[in-house]
């Protein structure tokens, strides 16, 4: 009897085990087929970023809006994180590998560490380079103003042309015009600023054409309203189109980066409302056309310039009544912050647009100012040093304005301070030596380096 009972118990246990196995198998099969279950599994397998808008591109320090399903390829070189592609595509599900919690933790630590090491292109040194200049100062006559082409003046020493900037811990690719134009295919690069912005624009035109005539490059200024008005010395800007790559490079003169509106359009001597809190109408009208925008301002912010131009400060559509803001330095600071905030609020509508605010170009007047006998006679390169070791910018106004925004700094102030021998100085195409220009630069020259830094960070 006992043996029989034992056999029946063993049979029941075996049956129960088989039933449990069958039920478990069915349950697992149903779980795998359940979309909700798959969603949960993918959520665990996928590397989740801290937020949906998180990735910092160390080359241009720009915030890239990302969807949770977008895939980033990270190249590690000299502590720089770069985007493998300009436009991110959606990663297929079968390309997502399962990561263990330990691997995810290590990746997060590595990414966090790398993202904090954003490249500071303004920290480094000037080094001699026999391959400079990038174009001929005698040949680039179509794009370069004669007054800035020091090869056309009485100057005999051109040693300032033979140097390049080497950032401390960043890769600075050699500028090559055909590669640059291919990279800028179907894009428009716009400079908006004062005469130093115009110098940078002319420098880039010479660099992009190699300083050659390039008859295929067309003047498209009319498209942007950049035509010489009756009685004007020059148009408000220029725009040139490279048909082979459909690339446009343009410049618009806006010395203060504020919107200038004549109070009486029928009176040539009317005062002009200088709207400190409103970007230039040109920028508001054409911002949708731009892919790269470079701004600068600074040297026109003095009482003499404002009075000579009949500029009257306006805020909120009416004359400024804030006495503190009426001070030139405060007015400039207010305007710079205003335009950066305006751009930062509009950039989400133009995800293709990259905006750079160039820091102020230094002057090198010694023993006086431009109108009191100041000179810049030094012709020995780097006599004041060759290195920039500081981490912060020498232009705290621009640095402070762009901090925390999608507008990026193009920091050229400290590296240019070391190059006092590169100014126009007392030389001119007319041969007169009574005036020293220690503000503008000889071209080829220092603004070429500004553009190399720009291209490296685009």
């Amino acid at each position: 009897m006992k043996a029989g009972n034992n056999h029946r118990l063993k049979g029941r246990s075996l049956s129960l085990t088989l039933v449990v196995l069958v039920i478990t198998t069915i349950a697992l099969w149903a779980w795998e087929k359940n979309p909700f279950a798959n969603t949960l599994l993918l959520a665990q397998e996928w590397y989740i970023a801290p937020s949906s808008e998180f990735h910092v591109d160390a080359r241009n320090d720009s915030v890239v809006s990302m969807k949770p399903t977008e895939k980033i390829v990270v190249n590690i070189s000299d502590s720089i994180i770069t985007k493998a592609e300009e436009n991110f595509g959606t990663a297929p599900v079968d390309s997502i590998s399962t990561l263990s919690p330990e691997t995810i933790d290590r990746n997060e630590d590595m990414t966090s560490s790398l993202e904090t090491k954003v490249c500071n292109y303004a920290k480094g040194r000037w080094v001699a380079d026999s391959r400079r200049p990038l174009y001929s100062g005698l040949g680039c006559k179509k794009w370069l103003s004669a007054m800035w082409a020091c090869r056309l003046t009485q100057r005999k020493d051109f040693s300032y042309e033979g140097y390049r900037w080497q950032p401390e811990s960043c890769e600075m690719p050699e500028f090559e015009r055909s590669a640059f134009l291919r990279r800028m295919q179907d894009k428009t690069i716009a400079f908006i600023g004062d005469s130093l912005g115009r110098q940078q624009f002319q420098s880039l035109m010479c660099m992009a054409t190699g300083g050659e005539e390039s008859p295929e490059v067309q003047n498209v200024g009319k498209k942007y309203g950049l035509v010489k008005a009756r009685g004007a010395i020059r148009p408000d800007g220029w725009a040139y189109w490279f048909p082979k790559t459909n690339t446009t490079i343009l410049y618009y003169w806006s010395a203060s980066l504020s919107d200038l509106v004549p109070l009486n359009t029928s009176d040539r001597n009317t005062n002009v409302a200088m709207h400190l809190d409103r970007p230039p109408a040109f920028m508001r009208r054409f911002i949708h056309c731009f892919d790269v925008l470079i701004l600068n301002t600074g040297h026109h912010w003095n009482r003499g310039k404002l009075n000579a131009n009949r500029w009257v400060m306006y805020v909120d559509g009416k004359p400024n009544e804030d006495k503190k803001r009426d001070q030139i330095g405060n007015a400039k600071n207010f305007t710079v912050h205003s335009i950066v905030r305006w751009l930062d609020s509009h950039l989400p509508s133009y995800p293709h647009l990259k905006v750079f605010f160039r820091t102020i170009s230094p002057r090198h007047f010694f023993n006086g100012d431009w109108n009191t006998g100041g000179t810049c006679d030094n012709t020995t390169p780097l006599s004041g040093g060759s290195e920039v070791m500081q981490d912060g910018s020498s232009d705290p106004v621009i640095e402070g304005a762009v901090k925390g925004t999608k507008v990026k700094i193009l920091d050229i102030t400290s590296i240019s301070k070391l190059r006092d021998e590169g100014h126009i100085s007392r030389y001119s195409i007319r041969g007169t030596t009574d005036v020293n220009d220690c503000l503008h630069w000889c071209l080829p020259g220092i603004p070429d380096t500004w553009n190399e830094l720009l291209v490296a960070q685009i």
Side-chain angles (χ1 to χ4, degrees):
M1 286 295 292
K2 288 183 179 180
N5 288 335
N6 286 339
H7 282 301
R8 281 195 295 272
L9 289 173
K10 288 180 180 180
R12 290 176 181 173
S13 299
L14 181 60
S15 299
L16 183 59
T17 300
L18 288 174
V19 170
V20 170
L21 285 174
V22 170
I23 292 174
T24 302
T25 301
I26 294 173
L28 288 174
W29 178 83
W31 175 261
E32 290 176 355
K33 294 298 182 179
N34 190 324
F36 177 68
N38 286 339
T39 302
L40 292 178
L41 286 173
L42 286 177
Q44 293 173 349
E45 293 172 351
W46 182 245
Y47 172 40
I48 300 297
S51 70
S52 62
E53 296 186 11
F54 80 103
H55 184 64
V56 176
D57 177 358
R59 285 193 184 274
N60 61 16
D61 194 26
S62 63
V63 179
V64 180
S65 178
M66 298 279 300
K67 297 178 182 178
T69 54
E70 290 179 327
K71 179 183 178 183
I72 300 175
V73 180
V74 179
N75 294 328
I76 304 172
S77 176
D78 295 331
S79 300
I80 302 173
I81 302 176
T82 62
K83 291 182 295 183
E85 298 292 343
E86 182 177 351
N87 297 315
F88 296 98
T90 302
V93 172
D94 60 5
S95 71
I96 302 170
S97 58
T98 303
L99 302 177
S100 67
E102 293 78 15
T103 303
I104 291 177
D105 289 340
R106 287 197 300 270
N107 285 346
E108 286 179 337
D109 291 341
M110 180 182 70
T111 302
S112 176
S113 175
L114 288 174
E115 285 181 349
T116 60
K117 296 180 181 179
V118 176
C119 178
N120 182 359
Y121 283 90
K123 186 177 182 179
R125 68 187 187 281
W126 288 101
V127 296
D129 190 339
S130 60
R131 297 168 295 177
R132 303 304 168 107
L134 299 173
Y135 55 89
S136 167
L138 293 171
C140 192
K141 295 180 180 179
K142 186 173 181 180
W143 324 108
L144 176 57
S145 295
M147 60 183 176
W148 294 333
C150 288
R151 289 274 182 175
L152 301 178
T153 70
Q154 320 88 356
R155 184 163 181 160
K156 303 299 181 182
D157 184 271
F158 303 99
S159 57
Y160 64 88
E161 293 181 348
Y163 292 83
R164 64 177 172 84
W165 179 251
Q166 177 59 58
E168 182 183 64
S169 59
C170 315
E171 289 185 10
M172 270 282 282
E174 187 73 18
F175 181 88
E176 202 283 311
R177 56 172 174 152
S178 59
F180 165 71
L181 288 172
R182 286 196 302 270
R183 190 177 176 190
M184 294 295 102
Q185 184 161 348
D186 301 323
K187 299 188 186 305
T188 296
I189 304 170
F191 293 89
I192 299 180
D194 58 23
S195 57
L196 277 304
R198 181 181 166 205
Q199 282 211 298
Q200 190 176 358
F201 157 74
Q202 291 191 3
S203 163
L204 188 59
M205 285 299 303
C206 289
M207 291 167 66
T209 60
E212 300 172 0
E213 279 295 311
S214 306
E216 75 281 2
V217 178
Q218 300 177 26
N219 186 338
V220 293
K222 190 174 182 180
K223 174 182 176 182
Y224 298 92
L226 301 176
V227 294
K228 183 179 176 182
R230 181 178 299 177
I233 299 175
R234 62 179 68 93
D236 287 336
W238 294 265
Y240 295 103
W241 178 59
F242 294 73
K244 187 174 180 179
T245 57
N246 188 31
T247 303
T248 299
I249 302 177
L250 67 84
Y251 162 78
Y252 178 76
W253 185 87
S254 178
S256 65
L257 295 181
S258 54
D259 195 22
L260 302 177
V261 182
L263 296 179
N264 184 355
T265 56
S266 62
D267 181 5
R268 293 184 61 181
N269 297 318
T270 184
N271 286 341
V272 177
M274 181 187 186
H275 294 276
L276 305 182
D277 54 351
R278 204 161 73 193
F282 178 86
M283 188 169 75
R284 301 199 310 270
R285 179 181 177 187
F286 293 107
I287 187 172
H288 68 282
C289 300
F290 305 152
D291 297 280
V292 180
L293 174 60
I294 306 97
L295 305 172
N296 89 283
T297 189
H299 292 292
H300 281 252
W301 288 93
N302 62 74
R303 189 61 64 181
K305 290 283 187 181
L306 266 64
N307 292 339
N309 290 313
R310 296 179 177 272
W311 292 346
V312 180
M313 295 183 191
Y314 269 60
V315 177
D316 293 329
K318 56 186 179 182
N320 173 55
E321 297 178 351
D322 188 328
K323 298 300 181 182
K324 187 176 181 180
R325 189 185 294 143
D326 191 58
Q327 299 175 23
I328 294 297
N330 293 335
K332 174 194 168 186
N333 199 344
F334 178 79
T335 300
V336 169
H337 279 77
S338 293
I339 193 170
V340 169
R341 284 196 303 269
W342 185 89
L343 282 164
D344 193 49
S345 67
H346 282 74
L347 280 175
S349 300
Y350 309 104
H352 63 282
L353 176 60
K354 295 183 179 182
V355 180
F356 296 86
F357 212 126
R358 180 172 62 71
T359 60
I360 196 166
S361 173
R363 309 177 339 146
H364 288 94
F365 287 98
F366 297 99
N367 302 316
D369 211 332
W370 67 274
N371 57 350
T372 58
T375 61
C376 45
D377 294 330
N378 177 41
T379 58
T380 304
L382 306 173
S383 57
S386 63
E387 289 185 300
V388 174
M389 301 304 295
Q390 68 190 49
D391 292 317
S393 175
S394 293
D395 189 339
V397 174
I398 304 302
E399 184 179 43
V402 303
K403 186 176 182 180
T405 73
K406 298 181 183 67
V407 178
K408 305 308 164 189
I409 190 171
L410 180 58
D411 195 357
I412 58 87
T413 304
S414 293
I415 72 174
S416 303
K417 280 183 177 179
L418 298 173
R419 303 305 307 276
D420 63 292
E421 86 287 0
H423 288 292
I424 306 295
S425 188
R426 65 179 183 274
Y427 306 102
S428 70
I429 56 175
R430 295 185 179 89
T432 58
T433 59
D434 55 336
V435 176
N436 270 251
D437 186 348
C438 305
L439 170 63
H440 297 100
W441 304 90
C442 290
L443 290 175
I446 309 308
D448 303 333
T449 298
W450 303 350
N451 282 321
E452 289 183 280
L453 292 173
L454 170 68
V455 172
Q457 295 176 77
I458 291 178

